[in-house]
Amino acid sequence: MAGKNMRKRKPSAQQNKDSNKKRSSSISHDPFFHNSDSKRRNQFKDEDINSSDDEGEGFDSEGEKEVEAGEEENEEEIIEETPAEKKKRLAEAFLDRMRAREKKEEEEDEGLEDEGARKEREGERDSLIAKILQQEQLEESGRLRRAIASRVQKPETTEGFRFLVKHRQPVTAVALSEDDTRGFSASKDGTIVHWDVNSGKTEKYVWPSDDVLKSHGAKDPQGRATKHSKHVLALAVSSDGRYLASGGLDRHVHLWDIRTRQHIQGFPGHKGPVSCLTFRQGTSELFSGSFDRSIKIWNAEDRTYINTLFGHQSEVLTIDSLRKERVLTVGRDRTMHLWKVPEESQLVFRAPASSLECCCFISNDEFLSGSDDGSIEHWNILRKKPVHIVRNAHASLSQFEQRHNGLSNGHLENHAQDSEKLCSTALSWVSSVAVCGSSDLAASGAGNGSIRLWTIESESKGIRPLFELPLVGFVNSISFAKSGRFLIAGVGQEPRLGRWERNAAARNVVALHPIELS
């Protein structure tokens, strides 16, 4: 009996046939296999492969073929072009426009010419287009400097700043989208405003409740704080126009969806206020600087933390980045750091000033900084000290301008004592600097009642003053349009990071000034 029970009964041929039919039928009805096949067919759509006719022969039911064909049609309807296909389409459209423009110009001037001359002219046109594309790529990467400063026209007396947005408290940060059509501003009262550059139409971002913030990753307030502070100190916009990052006194980096103006993520981790933010150009990589002396790296697309950079001995105040994986920061330890992220190394530049307040990239190898002694420094990656210093860039006393016949050019070789007296107050601190992308045009702001435009020349000549744009108040943030046609400034009655000075005559606004180019 034990031997009989131990024997396994072999299935009959009919049972094998039935089980195979059930297995094939269940597979044929499973939508997973149909979806994967249709997706695979759609991915290779350019090869004109029609696999439905070949694979359909293995099915017995015509209804199954109809269902499969219907699923294929639905899949094809919802498929969108891939990023690579979109990039190729835009590039081809750009080339077509360039060729059409060149061809139109040639048709206006050309006379009778033979076939050989026409082909030669077409070859010259293609080489010209290639040169234009190469130049644009070099400008975007920061390896080529555009000559814009020499084309800037002197502002008319009737022209001035146009106030776009009003805030209740001092504006701490402004930012522009990649296409220069939309702007963003934040203030000490926690308000974040999204506005249209042309029409001035504004829309506010609404802070979610504490429960929603916790669900988005934010942690409970630390220290003596009982609730999340909405005091915003920094803003940054991603190159693709999808994400807006904000940081402030609550020690979090907040991520917003620009399309819906909704809060989507809160990044904890900093142990001090988040003072500065920047996105690396062309990516979703986000860098944040804080009073805890660290720089943290985040990925906005994946909403993840990547790494932390240490090196500053005091609060980090300003941060900037270009397309390359390098970050520029300044702090109250009188140093500027250039972080080479892939190499996990850093270069330290020491300033003669008591404290560096702001910085920005000119190119991958040149930088600009502003100090609390009223100086503007021009740096090069090959030297640890400034290659050129503009002292007393923003004089705080009108008597000085009268005594020296107009604008100070920063070269006070025989007036060192006057320079110290004039820059002893917070009104003359250079609180913000900006460079029009990959160009020789720069701007600086302070609390002395004006924004100054500068021409960045070669190292031997340094920085030359261009024009002065009157604007009452503390200029806490400046941003140029990519085209160089205008600049925006965030102005307030108080400095961005403190209340050690106040100008009651100033307005808490976002101001725009057009720039006429010849």
Side-chain angles (χ1 to χ4, degrees), residues 13 41 107 128 130 198 223 249 272 322 346 378 409 429 448-449 477:
R41 283 192 293 273
E107 288 176 352
L128 178 62
N198 297 320
L249 296 186
L322 293 178
Q346 56 181 300
H378 181 197
N409 61 4
W429 293 9
N448 69 326
S477 181

Side-chain angles (χ1 to χ4, degrees), residues 220-233:
D220 292 331
Q222 300 176 2
R224 292 177 296 176
T226 57
K227 62 179 181 179
H228 283 278
S229 172
K230 303 301 188 295
H231 187 131
V232 181
L233 294 176

